[in-house]
Every structure is written in structure tokens, then in C-alpha cells.
């Protein structure tokens, strides 16, 4: 029988199908991978994914936040209760007034505290007799009440002619008491059950209203969000959490929780300003070094908080911008909006931009050498050019410009500057060096003039001056054009102008980028009266640009944002109004584009008689004197002989630097273009010189000098 069963099983059971060979390879890899990773590893990965998921973090923060609201609310209610029952509030305010040196307020708080103690003592003494007074009151009240009810019952009985109504009022009172007891009996259980939860809810509401939880537990919209107004409590909390142990301890020990440290919070432009008097043992340097952390504690970005050192000892001045305010552009320059703007070299101030308080920042250029530095493409040329454009509106000022970048940033000064050199090559550096050396010669000529001689302002501008300092070319006498040695031609010429030029109204402006000791020598940068810096890379560069005093006083161009703070300058100068006690000021400059600059330059050209711009300085070459005279006269009908001499000296110092009126008269005599009087002054006529030049060329004669 067993054999039959086995045979039947084999017949009824289907044969297994042969495995498919094709998918074997595809199945093998996942199977091998699955088997190669232990189950506990996969479980740990899953747990970690869940634990680190944003939803999990949010849920944990929410749970911690609401629990901490209850604890914080309990602490707040307990403190309020304690202060309401004791004189601690008056003592705290008394200590704060004493710390602030306000003795009148201290005396007032002391008097209030004394009155509070007297009233409290009187209340406590009244409690001793309160039981007897209460018993007497209850007895008297009960008698009066019983008599009143009886009288009311008699009145009802008489009115209703039913003597049973005499007890009706008393029975009504008894029934009312019974219902009150019944209601209390029914609701007592739920009240006992819900009372603690209601108290807990009240504590939670207090904690939530006061945001009594750590910052990490608060929701994103409550963590000192952007735009939150700056209050004394926020400033004190930010200072307390700055990571300076003595400061934190001192704030905790202060009776007013640190409020006495703060001066009044003042509106200052697009932000607020507050002076903080630091407690003993805390230096201003420690606070300055923690600018980023302080900004974050105030819910601001680092560039929105500025720390400076005012005159008061152990005090830091905080300027805190409204969130995002510094990213808003400032308005256009007055040079653009007001076509009638005029400049005055001696008494005027150039409208450069706005300070952080939103006030106009105006710079005096009178007898001041200027240095503007910063990283590349941050607005250095635009800032320097804006000053030159304003000064060009004073027709007495002469410009000699060397742009060693040479991309056309100064093209609008063609016809306005007497010298305009543009280009980055060694040849351009040589010409720029000779231009500065000509400034030195003009300076020496003016110094030798009789005392009391008045001179017209002469401004030399070298943009991208680092190219000159780094030039490797050597002249025929083996003297290098670049470098910072005593034989370096550009360096020595700049030093000479810095030393004595100011006294005779010869000034030098330089723009340079990424300063180092090699491309901006110490003696050159310290020779500038006005030093301004755009964003820089390091604090050491900031010290090179502005000096140690300015940086120690809070100047921080290295903390500006590259690319985002274009045109923002930190300025150290006595030519700009700086708040008392500060060594520098931050200025957001007006941007003037090329088209606007050209329009302003055209207005300046219209104020002048016509200026011939020399683009190449020629040395030791044969000169055509009559042609040079015609060239410097330009399109002006007639030019004063003194102006002709000055223009010839600019054209070629070697040939005409020592010329006098006699030399000019000698060349023009016999040509028909002799100087003549106009309005009582000797002038040279354009048409006469042009006619003399034409006649000379026809005759084939020439006048030249080496």
C-alpha cells in the first residue's frame, strides 16, 4: 500500500521548472549586497535617518519648548510674587540708580521702599486683631441680618394677611444656602481635578508670552527674527551671552540685570546707536573681537553691527542697523541731481555719500593728500573720480592725471586735465613718474616765490599706483622707477610732494589696490592726510590702509563684504566730520556712472577757457616753439600770457619750465602775434598766432629750441 501511495504522490506532484539562467546574474548582485550588510547595520541607519530628520528635530524642539514655557512661567510668576511681597524691587532700582550716579533717583527709591515697609508692617499688625474684628463684624452682621429678615417677614405677613409669611424670607435664605452647598458639592470634584491643569496652563501662557525658552527651542519666527526692534533687554542679553566670563558675572550681580550699563538708545539713520559702559575687568578690545557673535546675538548679520570706541573710558559704542537696511542703495550724487552745483577748493566740501546714520558725508580736499585703497573691482576708481569731478567745478584747479589701468575710466578729463596718461605698461609708468616729478618741480618753484604769493591749486592723481611701485624698469642712470628705496624715482617724487606740497597747494591723490609693504610703502601711505579704504582681506591690510589708531578705534574695512559692499569706505581724516571720540567713519559713497561723469565734466569744461590735454610727456626733444604756443592756446580767443607760460611748462618742463614773459615776447616778436593788452592785462591772441604760424610755414622758416 505504501508503494502505491508513493507512486500516486509522484504522479500528482508537478515537476519543478528549470531555473532561468538569464536573470541569475541580475539577482545575484542584490542578493549578495543584501546579505553583505548585517541587519543591525540597516536598522541603525534607519534609526539615524529618523532621528536626524527635520520633522523629528522640529517635534523635539516643540516638546522641549512647551515644557520650558511652563518652567519659565513658574519662574516669572514666582519672581513677580516675591517682588510684590517684599521690597526687593525697590532695592534693585536703588542699586541701579546708585550705579548710574543718579543720587536723586536713588533717594526717591529709598523713600518709596521705606514707605512700602511701613505699610507692610501696619498690615501685619492689623492681622493680629483681625479675628476679633471679624467675629464682631459677623455677630453684628448676623444680628442685623436676622432683624432685617424678621422685619421683611412681618411686612409680607401684613400685606398678605397671612402670618405664616413671617418666616418666608428666612426660609428663602436657607433654601439659597442649600442650593449653594449642592452646587459646590457637584462641582468640587471637577474643580479639584481641573484646577492644577488650569494653573499649569496659566504658567505656560506666561512663559509663552515672555518667550521663556532657550533660543534653540524657539520657533524660527521667534528667534530674534530679522527686523526685531533693539531694546535694552535685547542688548544686555546679547552682551551677557558674548562668552566673556567677567561680563556675564557682572551682569548677573547687578541689581538691575545690567540696565545701568546702557546709555539711551538713539535713532541713528537706518539703525540705532547705544553706548555701553563695561564693568571693571572687561576691556573694550574683548568686545570688539567678538563682533560676529554680538551681531548674531542681536539677530543681525556681522556687517550690520559696528563697534567703535568713544571718548568715555571703558565704553563701546554700538551702531546696529535695521535688518537689511545696508543692502538698500543710497540716492544719487548731488553732482548729478543739481546741475548748478559749484565747488570751492578752499572752503567747500565734496558730497561723497552718506554715513551709517544717513547723514551727508562731505569731505574737505583743501591742502590734503589723499589715499584710497581696497581690493580690486570694489569701487576705488569711482570713489576717487567722484571727488575729482566735484573739484573740477572750481575753475581755478588744475589736474594732472595718470591712470595706470588704462581702460578709459578717466576719459572725461580729456580737455579738463592738463596731463592725462592712460595705460598699464612700463612706458606709462615712466610717464607717470615724470608727471609726479614735474609736480615736484612746480612745488619747488612755488616755494621759491616771494612770500605772500597766491597759487592756483594743482592736483596730481595717480590711479592704480601699485603698478608704479612695482615697476622693474631702470633708467639710464641705473635708478629704478619703482620700488621704495632712496634711489626709486616714483617713490622719492611722491615723498617730496607729501613733505612740502601742501603748503603751496600742490597735492597728490593716489588710488591703489590690495596694499602690501611692497606696493604701498609705509612712508607713502602715512604721508596722506585723508586715508580711505574699501573692503580688504585682512586686518594687517586695514592697518596699512588706515593706520593702527583707526583700526584700534574700531575701523574694520576687512570686515566689509567683498562684492556686496561696493563703494563703502572707512575713512580716517580730519577733513570729514567724525563723531567725537571715534578715529574713523564709514561712508557709503554715491556712485556716478561714466555717462553722468561725462556730463559733469562737460559742465566743468564750460567753466574754463579751454584746456589742452597733454597725453604724452616728451623729454629732451626738439620743440617748435610757435606751434607749441598755438597748441596750448587751443580754441580760446585769447589767453593771458601768464597762463600761456604755465601751459607751456606743463607741455615740456625741460624746454619751457624756466621761461619768463621776456622769453615769450622774444619768440612772438616780429611774427605779428606779439602779446597785447586786453582789459588792462597782457594776452596772446589765437588768430594772430595761427596767422603767424601759417605765414611762417609759407616762408619755410621755423623757430625751435632744445
Amino acid at each position: 500500500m505504501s508503494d502505491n501511495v508513493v507512486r500516486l504522490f509522484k504522479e500528482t506532484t508537478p515537476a519543478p521548472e528549470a531555473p532561468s539562467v538569464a536573470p541569475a546574474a541580475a539577482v545575484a548582485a542584490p542578493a549578495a549586497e543584501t546579505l553583505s550588510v548585517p541587519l543591525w547595520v540597516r536598522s541603525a541607519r534607519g534609526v539615524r535617518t529618523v532621528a536626524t530628520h527635520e520633522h523629528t528635530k522640529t517635534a523635539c524642539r516643540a516638546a522641549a519648548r512647551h515644557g520650558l514655557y511652563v518652567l519659565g512661567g513658574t519662574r516669572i510668576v514666582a519672581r513677580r510674587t516675591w517682588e510684590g511681597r517684599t521690597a526687593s524691587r525697590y532695592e534693585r532700582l536703588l542699586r541701579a540708580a546708585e550705579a548710574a550716579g543718579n543720587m536723586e533717583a536713588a533717594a526717591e527709591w529709598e523713600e518709596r521702599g521705606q514707605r512700602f515697609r511701613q505699610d507692610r508692617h501696619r498690615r501685619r499688625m492689623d492681622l493680629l486683631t483681625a479675628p476679633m474684628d471679624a467675629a464682631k463684624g459677623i455677630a453684628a452682621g448676623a444680628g442685623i441680618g436676622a432683624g432685617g429678615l424678621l422685619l421683611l417677614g412681618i411686612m409680607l405677613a401684613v400685606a398678605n394677611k397671612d402670618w405664616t409669611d413671617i418666616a418666608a424670607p428666612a426660609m428663602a435664605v436657607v433654601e439659597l444656602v442649600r442650593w449653594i452647598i449642592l452646587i459646590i458639592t457637584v462641582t468640587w470634584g471637577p474643580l479639584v481635578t481641573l484646577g492644577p491643569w488650569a494653573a499649569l496652563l496659566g504658567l505656560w501662557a506666561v512663559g509663552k508670552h515672555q518667550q521663556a525658552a532657550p533660543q534653540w527651542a524657539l520657533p524660527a519666527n521667534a528667534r530674534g527674527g530679522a527686523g526685531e526692534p533693539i531694546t535694552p533687554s535685547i542688548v544686555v542679553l546679547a552682551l551677557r551671552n558674548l562668552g566673556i566670563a567677567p561680563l556675564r558675572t557682572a551682569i548677573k550681580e547687578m541689581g538691575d540685570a545690567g540696565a545701568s550699563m546702557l546709555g539711551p538708545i538713539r535713532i541713528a539713520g537706518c539703525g540705532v546707536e547705544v553706548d555701553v559702559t563695561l564693568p571693571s575687568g572687561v576691556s573694550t578690545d574683548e568686545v570688539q573681537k567678538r563682533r560676529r557673535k554680538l551681531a548674531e546675538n542681536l539677530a543681525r548679520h556681522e556687517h550690520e553691527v559696528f563697534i567703535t570706541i568713544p571718548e568715555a573710558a571703558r565704553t563701546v559704542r554700538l551702531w546696529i542697523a535695521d535688518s537689511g537696511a545696508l543692502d538698500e542703495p543710497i540716492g544719487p550724487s548731488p553732482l548729478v541731481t543739481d546741475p548748478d552745483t559749484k565747488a570751492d577748493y578752499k572752503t567747500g566740501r565734496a558730497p561723497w555719500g552718506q554715513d551709517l546714520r544717513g547723514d551727508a558725508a562731505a569731505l574737505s580736499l583743501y591742502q590734503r593728500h589723499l589715499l584710497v585703497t581696497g581690493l580690486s573691482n570694489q569701487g576705488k576708481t569711482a570713489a576717487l573720480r567722484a571727488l575729482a569731478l566735484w573739484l573740477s567745478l572750481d575753475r581755478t584747479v588744475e589736474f594732472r592725471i595718470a591712470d595706470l589701468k588704462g581702460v578709459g575710466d578717466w576719459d572725461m578729463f580729456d580737455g579738463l586735465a592738463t596731463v592725462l596718461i592712460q595705460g598699464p605698461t612700463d612706458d606709462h609708468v615712466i610717464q607717470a613718474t615724470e608727471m609726479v616729478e614735474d609736480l615736484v618741480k612746480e612745488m619747488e618753484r612755488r616755494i621759491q616765490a616771494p612770500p605772500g604769493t597766491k597759487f592756483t591749486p594743482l592736483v596730481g592723481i595717480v590711479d592704480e599706483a601699485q603698478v608704479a611701485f612695482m615697476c622693474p624698469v631702470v633708467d639710464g642712470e641705473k635708478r629704478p622707477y619703482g620700488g621704495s628705496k632712496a634711489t626709486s624715482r616714483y617713490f622719492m617724487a611722491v615723498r617730496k610732494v607729501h613733505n612740502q606740497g601742501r603748503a603751496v597747494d600742490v597735492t597728490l591723490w593716489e588710488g591703489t589696490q590690495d596694499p602690501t609693504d611692497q606696493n604701498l610703502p609705509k612712508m607713502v601711505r602715512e604721508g596722506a592726510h585723508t586715508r580711505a579704504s574699501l573692503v580688504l582681506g585682512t586686518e594687517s591690510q586695514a592697518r596699512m590702509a588706515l593706520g593702527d589708531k583707526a583700526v584700534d578705534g574700531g575701523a574694520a574695512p576687512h570686515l566689509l563684504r567683498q562684492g556686496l559692499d561696493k563703494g563703502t569706505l572707512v575713512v580716517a581724516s580730519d577733513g570729514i566730520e567724525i563723531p567725537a571720540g571715534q578715529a574713523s567713519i564709514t561712508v557709503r559713497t554715491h556712485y556716478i556712472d561714466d555717462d553722468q561723469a561725462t556730463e559733469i565734466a562737460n559742465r566743468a569744461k564750460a567753466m574754463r577757457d579751454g584746456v589742452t590735454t597733454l597725453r604724452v610727456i616728451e623729454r629732451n626733444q626738439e620743440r617748435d616753439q610757435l606751434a607749441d604756443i598755438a597748441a596750448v592756446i587751443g580754441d580760446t580767443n585769447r589767453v593771458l600770457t601768464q597762463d600761456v607760460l604755465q601751459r607751456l611748462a606743463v607741455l615740456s618742463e625741460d624746454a619751457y619750465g624756466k621761461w619768463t614773459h621776456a622769453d615769450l615776447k622774444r619768440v612772438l616778436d616780429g611774427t605779428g602775434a606779439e602779446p597785447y593788452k586786453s582789459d588792462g592785462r597782457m594776452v596772446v591772441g589765437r588768430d594772430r598766432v595761427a596767422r603767424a604760424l601759417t605765414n611762417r610755414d609759407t616762408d619755410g622758416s621755423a623757430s625751435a629750441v632744445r
Side-chain angles (χ1 to χ4, degrees), residues 611-690:
V611 176
T612 301
T613 298
L614 177 64
R615 288 184 170 269
V616 178
I617 299 177
E618 299 176 351
R619 301 278 184 185
N620 299 322
Q621 296 184 5
E622 185 174 314
R623 311 293 312 185
D624 186 335
Q625 297 172 339
L626 193 58
D628 285 346
I629 293 172
V632 299
I633 291 176
D635 296 331
T636 309
N637 288 331
R638 52 185 178 271
V639 179
L640 296 175
T641 53
Q642 181 62 39
D643 290 345
V644 173
L645 291 174
Q646 290 181 357
R647 296 179 186 182
L648 287 172
V650 172
L651 184 65
S652 176
E653 180 67 26
D654 292 340
Y656 304 115
K658 298 181 179 179
W659 264 34
T660 63
H661 292 278
D663 295 311
L664 180 62
K665 184 175 182 299
R666 171 180 52 80
V667 172
L668 295 178
D669 278 348
T671 63
E674 295 84 354
Y676 62 96
K677 278 192 175 183
S678 175
D679 296 330
R681 304 185 68 181
M682 296 300 294
V683 299
V684 178
R686 178 195 61 188
D687 295 338
R688 296 185 181 188
V689 173

Side-chain angles (χ1 to χ4, degrees), residues 469 479-493 495 521:
F469 284 112
R479 295 179 59 197
Y481 285 92
S484 57
K485 297 181 179 179
T487 57
S488 301
R489 290 181 58 177
Y490 181 80
F491 170 72
M492 292 303 297
R495 277 197 58 197

Side-chain angles (χ1 to χ4, degrees), residues 142-481:
I144 294 173
L149 291 174
L150 180 60
L151 179 61
L152 181 61
I154 294 171
M155 293 172 65
L156 286 173
V158 172
N160 296 330
K161 297 180 181 181
D162 185 357
W163 293 103
T164 59
D165 288 344
I166 293 175
M171 295 306 296
V173 172
V174 171
E175 187 67 15
L176 176 63
V177 171
R178 188 179 70 82
W179 276 104
I180 292 174
I181 293 173
L182 178 62
I183 293 171
I184 292 175
T185 303
V186 172
T187 60
W188 180 255
L191 287 175
V192 171
T193 304
L194 296 177
W197 292 103
L200 200 64
L201 181 62
L203 295 175
W204 174 86
V206 172
K208 183 177 185 300
H209 179 71
Q210 297 292 333
Q211 297 291 314
Q215 288 290 317
W216 60 266
L218 294 176
N221 60 356
R223 292 181 208 159
E228 182 179 2
I230 298 298
T231 62
S233 60
I234 289 177
V235 177
V236 172
L237 188 63
L239 293 168
R240 190 189 71 184
N241 297 332
L242 206 52
I244 303 174
L247 180 59
R248 184 182 185 88
T249 303
I251 291 175
K252 285 185 176 180
E253 293 176 351
M254 291 180 183
D256 59 349
S260 60
M261 298 168 50
L262 306 183
I265 296 179
R266 304 176 295 273
I267 300 295
C270 57
V272 297
E273 185 179 73
V274 59
D275 287 351
V276 181
T277 303
L278 300 176
S280 178
V282 182
S283 68
T284 57
D285 182 60
E286 290 179 283
V287 177
Q288 281 186 305
K289 289 179 179 177
R290 289 169 171 80
R291 176 184 174 189
R292 174 175 294 180
K293 190 169 185 178
L294 178 61
E296 292 172 350
N297 290 347
L298 293 167
R300 296 294 190 271
H301 295 291
E302 184 178 12
H303 72 278
E304 294 176 330
V305 174
F306 288 81
I307 306 173
T308 54
I309 310 299
E311 290 180 332
R314 217 172 63 241
T315 301
V316 293
R317 177 169 294 161
L318 306 181
W319 185 85
I320 307 161
D322 297 336
S323 185
L326 293 184
D327 297 325
E328 300 283 338
I330 65 173
S333 170
L335 299 180
V336 176
T337 59
D338 184 5
D340 297 327
T341 300
K342 297 291 189 295
D344 190 301
Y345 168 74
K346 186 173 183 179
T347 61
R349 289 178 178 263
W352 213 5
Q354 294 179 0
D355 62 17
L356 296 179
R357 295 167 180 80
D359 299 329
L363 180 68
S364 171
L365 301 172
Y366 177 62
Q367 293 186 345
R368 288 178 175 88
H369 303 302
L370 179 66
L371 172 65
V372 179
T373 186
L375 297 182
S376 177
N377 194 32
Q378 298 303 304
K380 169 179 48 60
T381 297
L384 194 62
R385 189 177 67 182
L387 297 176
L389 287 170
W390 174 80
L391 192 57
S392 69
L393 297 175
D394 182 342
R395 65 187 304 275
T396 65
V397 179
E398 177 189 350
F399 292 97
R400 302 183 188 181
I401 301 173
D403 173 19
L404 298 181
K405 181 164 54 178
V407 295
D409 289 335
W410 297 85
D411 275 346
M412 66 287 304
F413 279 82
D414 188 4
L416 192 56
T418 53
V419 175
L420 181 59
I421 299 165
Q422 297 185 99
T425 67
D426 291 342
D427 288 338
H428 292 100
V429 171
I430 293 172
Q431 294 176 25
T433 302
E434 293 174 346
M435 182 193 80
V436 179
E437 289 174 340
D438 285 344
L439 292 179
V440 175
K441 293 179 181 178
E442 174 62 17
M443 175 192 74
E444 293 173 344
R445 184 189 69 81
R446 295 184 178 191
I447 290 174
Q448 295 172 3
T453 304
K454 300 295 183 181
F455 303 106
T456 57
L458 174 57
V459 178
I461 302 175
V462 181
D463 196 8
E464 306 296 341
Q466 76 279 355
V467 177
F469 284 112
M470 300 302 291
C471 179
V473 177
V474 179
D475 66 10
E477 299 178 359
K478 305 300 182 183
R479 295 179 59 197
Y481 285 92

